[in-house]
Amino acid sequence: MNSTTVRNLLVRGMLAGLAAGVLALVVAYLLGEPYVDKAIAFEEAHSHEHEMEVVSRSLQSTAGLATGVLIYGVAFGGIAALAYCFALGRVGRFSPRATALLLSGAALLTVYVVPFLKYPANPPAVGDHDTIAKRTTLFFLMTVLGVLLAVAAVIAGKRLAPGLGSWYATVVAVLGFTVVIGLAYAFLPAVNEVPAAFRAALLWRFRLSSIALQITMWAAFGLVFGELAERLLNPKPAAIPTGTTVTASR
């Protein structure tokens, strides 16, 4: 794949990430923000310390939220486009559109679902301020581990395929990925800092809204980027106008 194609895919990936970010922003605002407000109300009701807001809550839930989600979408769209350039043709004989959807599903699994199952998202009022660095490090470590193990599983599956066949090689690779992730879950420290008085229903709904945001983001990216990549890599031949006579030159 030449540099011009890579650059064009990178631009399309960032545009697809921006489009996916817009849809994710709608989900975050409509589903996530009401639960954030309720969690903040809980924190204010149970805290004896009242800190002065540097940025107002209304600004956080509008411009701040939009900035964060859109930058996230563009950044991960660019990264996913570069990963797509590497994966295209190496993970199987899939079309550009199908490869984009497969990559989006893998990104959702490794970048979000794998770390989420061990260290799920929490709203405000959940978590000790003194342990935020530790919790961030553990989440990032789980994310990196998920990505590296997914890459290792793909490589192992391709190497096992000639001897076991594609089906059994895929099963072995997936089982290996699952076992190692399970061991990581078992040995990495758990973090449970949910206050006893915090409503379980509120926590659960916040986490569901977080999952919905990520599914929206990566599903939209896969569909949009897949279409853009398909048009770039497999352009349709120009249609010949009706009634035009094509003459062959000798």
Side-chain angles (χ1 to χ4, degrees):
M1 186 177 294
N2 58 51
S3 59
T4 301
T5 303
V6 172
R7 183 176 65 250
N8 289 335
L9 285 172
L10 175 61
V11 172
R12 283 163 173 76
M14 296 173 71
L15 290 174
L18 179 62
V22 172
L23 293 177
L25 175 62
V26 174
V27 173
Y29 185 78
L30 295 179
L31 296 184
E33 284 303 305
Y35 301 121
V36 173
D37 289 335
K38 292 178 181 179
I40 291 175
F42 172 89
E43 185 177 33
E44 291 176 347
H46 292 78
S47 176
H48 299 291
E49 298 179 2
H50 298 282
E51 299 178 358
M52 183 172 56
E53 286 186 338
V54 178
V55 180
S56 67
R57 173 63 190 144
S58 60
L59 186 60
Q60 292 176 16
S61 62
T62 53
L65 177 65
T67 301
V69 173
L70 294 181
I71 290 178
Y72 175 90
V74 172
F76 272 91
I79 295 172
L82 294 177
Y84 177 88
C85 294
F86 176 79
L88 188 64
R90 291 186 172 92
V91 296
R93 296 180 179 179
F94 300 104
S95 67
R97 188 183 289 115
T99 302
L101 290 174
L102 182 64
L103 178 67
S104 296
L108 175 64
L109 173 67
T110 58
V111 176
Y112 186 75
V113 174
V114 166
F116 179 88
L117 292 177
K118 177 65 178 179
Y119 304 111
N122 289 324
V126 175
D128 186 353
H129 294 291
D130 296 332
T131 64
I132 187 171
K134 175 185 176 182
R135 288 183 280 121
T136 302
T137 301
L138 289 172
F139 186 90
F140 179 74
L141 176 61
M142 201 69 236
T143 302
V144 173
L145 185 62
V147 172
L148 293 179
L149 287 176
V151 173
V154 171
I155 295 174
K158 290 185 69 66
R159 291 186 176 181
L160 292 172
L164 298 178
S166 299
W167 171 255
Y168 289 108
T170 301
V171 171
V172 170
V174 171
L175 285 177
F177 174 85
T178 305
V179 168
V180 178
I181 288 295
L183 291 174
Y185 285 172
F187 285 102
L188 285 175
V191 176
N192 184 13
E193 299 177 349
V194 180
F198 197 87
R199 287 190 298 155
L202 175 57
L203 179 63
W204 177 242
R205 288 168 183 168
F206 174 84
R207 289 175 175 175
L208 284 179
S209 68
S210 177
I211 294 173
L213 186 153
Q214 293 293 331
I215 291 176
T216 301
M217 171 77 75
W218 288 108
F221 174 81
L223 291 171
V224 175
F225 181 66
E227 185 64 30
L228 295 177
E230 186 78 29
R231 294 186 180 186
L232 174 67
L233 300 174
N234 291 330
K236 294 181 179 180
I240 300 175
T242 305
T244 302
T245 303
V246 180
T247 57
S249 59
R250 295 183 180 181

